[in-house]
Amino acid sequence: ARVGLNIPMDLIHVLETTTRVLPNISGTFGSSTSEACVQAALDACEIMNEKLDPFRLPGRTWQQIVNAANSQVPLIADGWFRGQNTPEYVYYIWSAGTCIADSR
């Protein structure tokens, strides 16, 4: 998320996985799940960047960008990633990532 949004690491907060948020979550079967989660998070960041780009003015901090956008665009973005599916590599996985912009 830090790279995807181009913001300092101390502004990133990762929540624990919970079935209250992802009710149909399945087990993690190796490192492919981690890669899928990263790609879903980056997809969510890309969507959030599209929403925030009009508010990114020179010299504005993250908090100022988010505050300026707050009343004009939804500050949540959901990203998705579908695992690879080729004859050489078949692994069925879907991953979802969410990015919420907050000025705190």
Side-chain angles (χ1 to χ4, degrees):
R2 186 202 69 75
V3 172
L5 295 171
N6 194 27
I7 60 175
M9 188 65 191
D10 63 335
L11 295 178
I12 304 295
H13 302 279
V14 178
L15 304 177
E16 291 182 29
T17 300
T18 171
T19 55
R20 288 181 297 170
V21 177
L22 295 172
N24 299 323
I25 195 165
S26 61
T28 58
F29 303 106
S31 62
S32 295
T33 303
S34 298
E35 293 170 16
C37 291
V38 168
Q39 292 303 314
L42 288 173
D43 185 48
C45 289
E46 185 177 322
I47 293 166
M48 181 62 70
N49 279 328
E50 290 172 8
K51 293 178 179 189
L52 294 177
D53 279 347
F55 305 96
R56 291 184 190 266
L57 300 177
R60 273 194 176 167
T61 65
W62 173 253
Q63 290 82 359
Q64 291 168 329
I65 293 165
V66 171
N67 284 333
N70 188 38
S71 64
Q72 298 182 47
V73 296
L75 295 178
I76 186 167
D78 294 321
W80 297 91
F81 176 77
R82 181 180 181 273
Q84 297 179 23
N85 188 8
T86 65
E88 303 84 32
Y89 183 80
V90 177
Y91 187 77
Y92 296 100
I93 182 170
W94 286 86
S95 187
T98 300
C99 178
I100 301 173
D102 192 341
S103 64
R104 287 183 266 161

